[in-house]
């Protein structure tokens, strides 16, 4: 589908990558307004401009929209799909969902996100007594709201049962596990492949891993389970965290963590990624687990001194924010640099 993307400059690359991962062809990129329009979020003149574009199928606004924005944009831009950051992410997860659990999590998040919008639509339709947005007037919207509410209750029960069964299964496993965590595109799956000898899908699109991949590697007669988890994103909406709690909770039951960071990022962005990764882990109730940090993609740095400075920066900050940090190891999973050192450090830790 051909789309127009609205995003802030700092999120431009990420937004573009996410849109392309969801199979949208971006025809034009506009800056998100500093002061959002109260009715449409985007500028009114842009709404008028887009209205005339017959070849555009969707509008992606890389931020969180309010109900009134969705209602007004849908009214003005008839026939064009309106997506904000949450809906875009949910579409991507839906494309990759394999297990029943993942599909239920996605459906629940989508229903919970759309329900307040439907309720606002219902209020507006009630006031005006005009035909409702779903084509069946006030009563059509009302029955859809009831349907959403019943489905939400049912999915929650199903997920609770799956969660209990999964937690029991994880606890029964009689060997140690290491969860590989970190931001999407940091190279978690490449590291997982190197350590396990597997060939899981790796590409530059975001969210290559949308459900955990597990593999036990035998060492000295013992087995260590490596778990490649779903990647974090910057400014991850709470709706996504909740929807994928069970998936992310793989890290909660691991014996140790391997946090992967992208060393090719600027020092400022690297610090931001480290801080928010640790914050997300805290939100999931994870603390006190031994952690090794793999500073990946060192082959993309220009000088050895640059790598050394970034290792020292990460060490100092990580130790001030989390305990215990076992080590910070600069690696390149793609080139195999220092990967044996990382492997030995994981074994020694376990």
């Amino acid at each position: 589908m051909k789309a127009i993307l609205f995003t802030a400059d700092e999120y431009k690359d990420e937004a573009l990558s996410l849109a392309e991962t969801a199979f949208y062809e971006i025809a034009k990129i506009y800056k998100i307004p500093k002061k959002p329009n109260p009715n449409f979020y985007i500028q009114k003149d842009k709404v008028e401009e887009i209205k005339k574009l017959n070849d555009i199928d969707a509008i992606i606004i890389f931020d969180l929209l309010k109900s009134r924005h969705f209602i007004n944009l849908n009214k003005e831009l008839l026939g064009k799909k309106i997506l904000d950051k949450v809906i875009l992410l949910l579409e991507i997860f839906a494309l990759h969902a394999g297990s029943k659990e993942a599909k239920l999590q996605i459906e629940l998040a989508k229903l919970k996100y759309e329900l307040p919008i439907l309720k606002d639509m219902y209020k507006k339709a009630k006031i005006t007594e005009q035909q409702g947005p779903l084509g069946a007037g006030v009563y059509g919207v009302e029955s859809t709201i009831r349907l959403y509410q019943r489905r939400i209750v049912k999915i929650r029960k199903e997920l609770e049962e799956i969660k209990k069964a999964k937690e029991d299964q994880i606890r029964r496993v009689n060997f140690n596990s290491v969860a590989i965590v970190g931001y999407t595109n940091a190279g978690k799956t490449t590291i997982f492949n190197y350590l396990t000898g597997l060939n899981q899908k790796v590409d530059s699109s975001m969210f290559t891993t949308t459900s955990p991949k597990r593999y036990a590697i035998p060492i000295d007669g013992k087995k260590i389970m490596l778990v490649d988890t779903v990647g974090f994103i910057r400014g991850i909406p709470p709706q996504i965290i909740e929807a994928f709690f069970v998936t992310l909770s793989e890290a909660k039951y691991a014996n140790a963590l391997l946090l992967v960071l992208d060393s090719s990022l600027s020092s400022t962005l690297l610090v931001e990624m480290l801080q928010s990764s640790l914050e997300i882990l805290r939100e999931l109730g994870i603390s006190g687990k031994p952690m090794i940090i793999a500073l990946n993609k060192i082959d993309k740095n220009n000088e050895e001194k640059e790598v050394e400075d970034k290792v020292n920066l990460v060490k100092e900050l990580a130790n001030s924010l989390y305990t215990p940090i076992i080590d910070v190891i600069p690696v390149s999973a793609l080139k195999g640099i220092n990967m044996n050192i990382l492997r030995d450090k994981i074994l020694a830790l376990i």
Side-chain angles (χ1 to χ4, degrees):
M1 293 179 81
K2 217 169 186 181
I4 286 176
L5 174 65
F6 286 83
T7 179
D9 281 341
E10 60 178 312
Y11 291 112
K12 187 178 172 182
D13 291 344
E14 186 177 299
L16 193 57
S17 178
L18 284 165
E20 287 170 354
T21 301
F23 301 113
Y24 288 98
E25 181 193 336
I26 301 302
K28 204 164 187 179
I29 299 176
Y30 289 116
K31 264 190 192 179
I32 273 179
K34 285 180 183 174
K35 192 179 176 185
N37 181 297
N39 294 320
F40 305 105
Y41 189 97
I42 60 175
Q43 305 91 324
K44 174 69 172 148
D45 63 320
K46 293 288 188 291
V47 175
E48 293 302 322
E49 187 184 320
I50 294 165
K51 208 187 282 187
K52 296 168 189 169
L53 302 174
N54 297 323
D55 61 333
I56 295 299
D57 306 297
I59 314 302
I60 301 168
I61 300 168
F62 201 63
D63 203 350
L64 305 186
L65 297 186
K66 295 185 185 299
S67 296
R68 66 174 181 273
H69 298 139
F70 279 111
I71 294 166
N72 293 328
L73 284 168
N74 274 305
K75 198 184 289 181
E76 289 291 321
L77 304 173
L78 290 169
K80 298 188 195 306
K81 192 174 176 183
I82 310 299
L83 301 93
D84 70 349
K85 188 177 184 177
V86 168
I87 291 174
L88 178 64
L89 290 172
L90 288 170
E91 280 201 3
I92 292 166
F93 282 128
L95 284 169
H96 294 277
S99 66
K100 182 186 177 184
E101 175 190 23
K103 285 173 183 169
L104 285 171
Q105 286 167 344
I106 293 158
E107 190 185 347
L108 178 63
K110 193 167 183 290
L111 292 171
K112 283 177 68 183
Y113 196 62
E114 288 176 357
L115 188 57
I117 301 167
L118 276 172
K119 284 180 176 176
D120 282 353
M121 284 180 173
Y122 175 66
K123 281 178 197 168
K124 280 200 168 190
K126 239 332 196 188
I127 291 163
T128 57
E129 287 298 335
Q130 291 171 358
Q131 176 119 333
L134 300 179
V138 172
Y139 301 108
V141 184
E142 196 175 11
S143 62
T144 306
I145 288 169
R146 285 199 299 269
L147 183 70
Y148 269 49
Q149 288 167 335
R150 285 197 300 269
R151 184 70 186 138
I152 284 169
V153 170
K154 191 180 177 191
I155 290 173
R156 275 182 172 149
K157 282 180 184 171
E158 283 188 64
L159 278 174
E160 197 54 43
E161 286 168 13
I162 292 171
K163 185 181 173 183
K164 280 176 186 170
K166 193 169 188 177
E167 286 176 359
D168 289 344
Q169 186 187 358
I170 290 166
R171 286 193 191 100
R172 281 200 305 270
V173 172
N174 60 359
F175 44 84
N176 293 304
S177 64
V178 176
I180 305 173
V181 296
Y183 270 78
T184 186
N185 261 352
K188 298 188 312 303
T189 302
T190 312
I191 284 178
F192 177 81
N193 283 344
Y194 191 100
L195 294 171
T196 60
L198 296 179
N199 191 26
Q200 296 285 358
K201 183 187 172 189
V202 175
D203 58 38
S204 60
S205 67
M206 302 180 88
F207 297 107
T208 304
T209 304
T210 51
S211 60
K213 296 178 175 72
R214 304 174 195 82
Y215 192 75
I217 52 174
I219 297 125
D220 298 335
K222 294 179 182 179
K223 279 186 176 180
I224 293 176
M225 176 72 80
L226 289 180
V227 185
D228 183 16
T229 64
V230 64
F232 306 145
I233 63 158
R234 286 194 297 164
I236 190 164
Q239 295 91 334
I240 305 296
I241 284 259
E242 187 184 348
F244 284 83
F245 177 77
V246 180
T247 303
L248 291 168
S249 72
E250 292 285 333
K252 194 172 182 177
Y253 299 103
N255 300 95
L257 302 172
L258 175 60
L259 172 62
V260 182
L261 296 172
D262 181 351
S263 73
S264 68
L265 299 171
S266 67
S267 295
T268 308
L269 202 47
L270 189 60
V271 163
E272 189 188 319
M273 293 291 190
L274 173 59
Q275 286 174 324
S276 55
S277 292
L278 297 177
E279 197 176 309
I280 288 168
L281 291 172
R282 271 197 302 275
E283 280 179 35
L284 292 167
I286 297 167
S287 62
K289 287 184 189 295
M291 180 187 288
I292 295 169
I293 298 176
L295 205 53
N296 194 25
K297 305 187 185 182
I298 58 168
D299 53 300
K300 290 190 175 182
N301 288 271
N302 296 324
E303 297 172 14
E304 203 173 306
K305 177 76 167 65
E306 189 182 350
V307 174
E308 195 180 315
D309 288 345
K310 284 178 178 176
V311 168
N312 291 332
L313 176 70
V314 168
K315 255 184 193 169
E316 191 178 338
L317 182 60
N319 278 304
S320 71
L321 296 172
Y322 188 94
T323 302
I325 299 290
I326 304 303
D327 207 349
V328 177
I329 304 168
V331 302
S332 168
L334 193 65
K335 306 282 185 186
I337 302 168
N338 292 345
M339 288 300 291
N340 287 337
I341 295 172
L342 177 63
R343 185 185 174 93
D344 291 346
K345 185 63 76 169
I346 291 169
L347 304 190
L349 171 62
I350 292 297

